[in-house]
Amino acid sequence: MKLFNTYLFLQQPSVSTSAERYLLIYMIGVLFIVTALVVIFFIVFQKRKNKLLLDKIKQQQAFDEEIAQTQTEIQEQTLKHIGWELHDNVGQLLAYASMQLNMLSAKIPEDMKGTLNLTTETIKESLKEVRSLSKSLNNDVILNIGFEKSITNELDRLKRMKFASAELKIKGENKSLNNKKHEIILFRILQEFFSNSVKYSEAQNLKVELEYVNDDLIIIASDDGKGFDVETAKKGSGLINMKSRAELIKAKFDLFSKPNEGVKLTITYPLISDN
């Protein structure tokens, strides 16, 4: 009996150690499962968070594009209205003044006819410029005559007004833009560039190149004016308008200038995304 009790006493630690081992394995297994669940939960939570953030960013981008599109449409309507006013009101007034001067020419002394003729010619030129400007402001006219012809007309008008030369060069095979609204936006960007050249550049020559390369339309507009330091120049509404319009149609916008080296604008418009 004593030997039997001794045997049981010797075997008890082994049983206890085995139970503890199984308990430890069980606890490790539970801990592993809990850790795995926590990791999976964190990953799922992070993915949902990232998706929500991405959706929010996309919604903000869509909202910004909608705002920009609305602003562009409002600007176009304003320009069209101004164009109508110039053509219908100012144009008619100048035409009436020209007619009155022609009628007056028969009633004035010969020594005053030279001055009268000069005034008449000035009014006729003014009428011509007003009508040309009204056409460039009306997007319906631009769409009707086409993108390239609109640029040519604008350059001709600027040449009569200020520049010694204003030329358009076309390289590559002409490819029409499927989205006609994009033609208007590209033309407005160029108009903004021309306006800045007239007001600030003191340039004598203006040049525009349209180059059709594979699936891109590369537009380069340049003048030979006094230029400016792009890094230090204050970004006015003109530059902001040009950049925002380019972004609206997913075109790459680059403006290069240095003091006494003129200004060069490059727009790369992807024709494959023209929709």
Side-chain angles (χ1 to χ4, degrees):
M1 186 67 179
K2 186 176 181 180
L3 291 173
F4 180 73
N5 289 337
T6 302
Y7 174 77
L8 290 177
F9 177 77
L10 293 173
Q11 291 295 320
Q12 188 173 357
S14 177
V15 174
S16 176
T17 301
S18 177
E20 290 176 354
R21 186 181 300 114
Y22 285 126
L23 179 61
L24 180 62
I25 293 172
Y26 174 77
M27 292 178 66
I28 292 174
V30 171
L31 181 62
F32 176 78
I33 293 173
V34 171
T35 302
L37 289 174
V38 170
V39 171
I40 293 172
F41 174 79
F42 177 78
I43 293 173
V44 172
F45 172 78
Q46 197 66 29
K47 285 184 176 180
R48 285 182 59 83
K49 180 181 177 182
N50 292 339
K51 185 177 183 301
L52 289 173
L53 289 174
L54 186 60
D55 290 342
K56 185 176 180 180
I57 292 172
K58 288 181 178 179
Q59 289 175 0
Q60 185 63 43
Q61 289 176 340
F63 176 76
D64 291 341
E65 289 181 0
E66 187 68 27
I67 291 295
Q69 183 68 40
T70 302
Q71 290 176 339
T72 300
E73 291 176 356
I74 292 173
Q75 289 172 352
E76 285 301 322
Q77 288 299 321
T78 303
L79 290 174
K80 181 187 288 188
H81 179 72
I82 293 172
W84 284 339
E85 289 295 322
L86 286 173
H87 185 273
D88 295 340
N89 294 332
V90 179
Q92 287 183 4
L93 288 173
L94 289 173
Y96 180 74
S98 178
M99 182 180 66
Q100 291 295 316
L101 287 175
N102 287 333
M103 294 172 61
L104 185 63
S105 64
K107 301 179 181 180
I108 64 171
E110 288 295 329
D111 59 341
M112 294 183 62
K113 285 191 175 182
T115 303
L116 181 64
N117 291 336
L118 180 61
T119 304
T120 302
E121 287 301 317
T122 301
I123 291 178
K124 287 181 178 179
E125 285 298 316
S126 299
L127 178 59
K128 184 177 180 180
E129 291 302 318
V130 166
R131 286 174 174 170
S132 178
L133 178 59
S134 69
K135 290 178 181 179
S136 73
L137 295 177
N138 192 326
N139 55 12
D140 290 336
V141 175
I142 296 169
L143 292 175
N144 185 48
I145 66 177
F147 180 57
E148 294 176 2
K149 181 62 176 176
S150 297
I151 296 174
T152 299
N153 288 348
E154 187 73 357
L155 290 175
D156 289 342
R157 185 179 71 84
L158 293 171
K159 185 177 179 180
R160 291 194 302 268
M161 182 176 67
K162 177 179 175 63
F163 297 98
S165 69
E167 300 178 347
L168 171 65
K169 293 184 178 180
I170 301 173
K171 299 179 181 180
E173 184 180 354
N174 185 302
K175 298 178 182 178
S176 299
L177 278 65
N178 295 324
N179 193 325
K180 298 304 179 182
K181 290 183 178 180
H182 290 189
E183 285 188 4
I184 300 295
I185 293 174
L186 289 171
F187 181 71
R188 295 302 181 211
I189 295 174
L190 288 175
Q191 271 191 318
E192 190 71 49
F193 178 85
F194 298 155
S195 176
N196 290 336
S197 294
V198 170
K199 289 186 290 185
Y200 308 118
S201 72
E202 300 179 7
Q204 295 296 315
N205 301 288
L206 189 63
K207 183 169 63 175
V208 178
E209 293 183 5
L210 303 181
E211 184 173 5
Y212 296 89
V213 182
N214 298 327
D215 295 321
D216 291 329
L217 168 59
I218 301 174
I219 304 172
I220 302 174
S222 60
D223 66 41
D224 61 351
K226 62 183 182 180
F228 62 94
D229 188 337
V230 177
E231 297 299 327
T232 59
K234 182 179 179 181
K235 291 180 173 58
S237 60
L239 180 59
I240 293 173
N241 283 340
M242 285 192 288
K243 291 187 67 174
S244 63
R245 287 175 183 272
E247 290 172 358
L248 187 62
I249 58 176
K250 296 179 175 57
K252 183 180 178 182
F253 177 92
D254 182 61
L255 188 70
F256 174 82
S257 181
K258 286 184 178 180
N260 303 314
E261 293 188 15
V263 183
K264 180 179 179 181
L265 167 67
T266 303
I267 302 169
T268 304
Y269 175 74
L271 293 170
I272 54 175
S273 64
D274 181 18
N275 50 51

